[in-house]
Amino acid sequence: IYLPPTYYFDTDKKYPVLYFHDGNNIFDKATSFLGTEWNVDEVAEKLINESKIKDVIIVGIYNTSDRIDEYTFEYDKRRKGGGKGEQYLNFIVQTLKPFVDKEYRTLTDRYNTGIIGSSLGGLISLFAGIKYSYYFYYIGAVSPALWWNDLGVIKVFEELKEIPDIKVWLDMGTKEGTKDGVLKEFTDCILHVRQLENILLQKGFIINKNLKYLEIEDAVHNEISWSNRIDKILLYFLSK
C-alpha cells in the first residue's frame, strides 16, 4: 500500500484509492515479473509533489497461481480455464476494500475509487466497470487481453442497454501481439482495442470526458511499456 506524503501529518484528510491488479509488479522490482516494476509509487509521489494530481492511496493486490482463472470472468473452452473473476472481485469489494477503508483514511464512495490492471488485469478491470460500477468509477484497462474467450468482453459491451457511470482508460501498444514475442499468436490486439473503443463511443462514451483512448507507438506487451505510461494514467484519473 502506498500512502501519499501528507498522510501522516494531515490527520483529518481522507483520500481516494486506486486498486491495482498484479500488485507485485507495481512497486518493487524484487517482487515483479522479470525484475521490472511499474514505478507507480515514485511516479505518483512526483506528480503529487508537483501538485499535478490529487493525493491518493494506492493498493497493489498480488496475483497468485490462480491468476488466469481469477482475472477472467468467463470460462474459455479453447484454453480450458478461467471464469473465477466474479469471485475475485467479490473478494476485493467484500473483504479487501472494507479492510482498507477501516484501516486507512479513505474516501469510500465510488467516485473516489478505481481499479486498474494490464493484460488480463485490464480485462477484469473492464468487467468490474460493467458489473461492479457501484464500487468503482475509475476503470483502467491497460493493454487489455480482449482476445479471451473469443472477444467475450467486447460482446458484453455490445449488449449493454445502459451506459455504466464510469471513467475509462483504454490503451494498447502498436506492436503488441506482433513482434514482441510475448503474445505472438494474438496478432490483432490493436484491432480488437480499436473495436472496443468504437463500441464505447457508439454507446455514448465521450473522449476525454469519460473515455481516454491511447495507442502507444512501438510499445509492446510488458512491464517496461506499462511503466512508461503510468504517469498519463494517473493524470487522467486524478488531475487537480
Side-chain angles (χ1 to χ4, degrees), residues 21-22 67-68 71-74 76 79 117-127 140-155 169-173 176-177 182-183 186 188-190 192-193 196 221 226 229:
H21 311 295
D22 293 312
R67 179 181 182 274
I68 292 176
Y71 286 13
T72 54
F73 63 96
E74 296 176 319
D76 190 320
R79 294 171 180 84
S118 63
S119 195
L120 287 175
L123 179 70
I124 197 63
S125 295
L126 287 170
F127 181 67
V142 182
S143 301
L146 303 178
W147 42 263
W148 184 265
N149 197 33
D150 297 324
L151 306 180
V153 73
I154 290 181
K155 296 170 187 174
W169 170 280
L170 180 66
D171 72 23
M172 188 68 69
E176 293 193 53
V182 177
L183 293 174
F186 311 119
D188 295 326
C189 291
I190 197 72
H192 295 161
V193 80
L196 178 56
H221 198 86
W226 299 326
R229 56 193 190 257

Side-chain angles (χ1 to χ4, degrees), residues 172-189:
M172 188 68 69
T174 60
K175 287 189 176 180
E176 293 193 53
T178 53
K179 298 177 182 179
D180 60 355
V182 177
L183 293 174
K184 195 175 295 182
E185 68 174 300
F186 311 119
T187 56
D188 295 326
C189 291

Side-chain angles (χ1 to χ4, degrees), residues 15-63:
Y15 301 84
V17 183
L18 297 179
Y19 291 87
F20 277 75
H21 311 295
D22 293 312
N24 42 308
N25 296 334
I26 70 170
F27 294 140
D28 189 347
K29 65 181 181 181
T31 61
S32 63
F33 183 66
L34 298 180
T36 304
E37 61 167 295
W38 284 36
N39 298 304
V40 173
D41 47 345
E42 291 93 343
V43 173
E45 189 132 329
K46 180 176 183 293
L47 293 173
I48 289 170
N49 288 333
E50 292 172 351
S51 297
K52 291 182 178 178
I53 65 170
K54 302 172 186 175
D55 291 11
V56 61
I57 293 173
I58 298 173
V59 179
I61 310 169
Y62 272 40
N63 59 36

Side-chain angles (χ1 to χ4, degrees), residues 109-234:
D109 65 288
R110 64 182 300 276
Y111 289 106
N112 285 288
T113 309
I115 192 163
I116 301 170
S118 63
S119 195
L120 287 175
L123 179 70
I124 197 63
S125 295
L126 287 170
F127 181 67
I130 299 169
K131 298 292 186 178
Y132 292 79
S133 60
Y134 178 82
Y135 299 95
F136 304 109
Y137 178 61
Y138 302 117
I139 305 298
V142 182
S143 301
L146 303 178
W147 42 263
W148 184 265
N149 197 33
D150 297 324
L151 306 180
V153 73
I154 290 181
K155 296 170 187 174
V156 171
F157 273 101
E158 279 181 321
E159 294 169 1
L160 282 179
K161 294 181 180 178
E162 185 175 347
I163 303 169
D165 180 21
I166 54 177
K167 187 171 185 177
V168 177
W169 170 280
L170 180 66
D171 72 23
M172 188 68 69
T174 60
K175 287 189 176 180
E176 293 193 53
T178 53
K179 298 177 182 179
D180 60 355
V182 177
L183 293 174
K184 195 175 295 182
E185 68 174 300
F186 311 119
T187 56
D188 295 326
C189 291
I190 197 72
L191 300 180
H192 295 161
V193 80
R194 288 172 183 170
Q195 183 181 347
L196 178 56
E197 182 212 11
N198 287 331
I199 290 169
L200 294 177
L201 294 175
Q202 291 167 13
K203 295 292 182 179
F205 282 81
I206 300 172
I207 291 291
N208 293 327
K209 181 181 179 182
N210 57 358
L211 174 63
K212 182 71 173 182
Y213 175 67
L214 187 65
E215 292 183 8
I216 304 91
E217 192 68 27
D218 295 330
V220 297
H221 198 86
N222 62 24
E223 313 302 326
I224 294 175
S225 294
W226 299 326
S227 70
N228 287 338
R229 56 193 190 257
I230 189 60
D231 59 334
K232 297 179 179 64
I233 298 170
L234 295 176

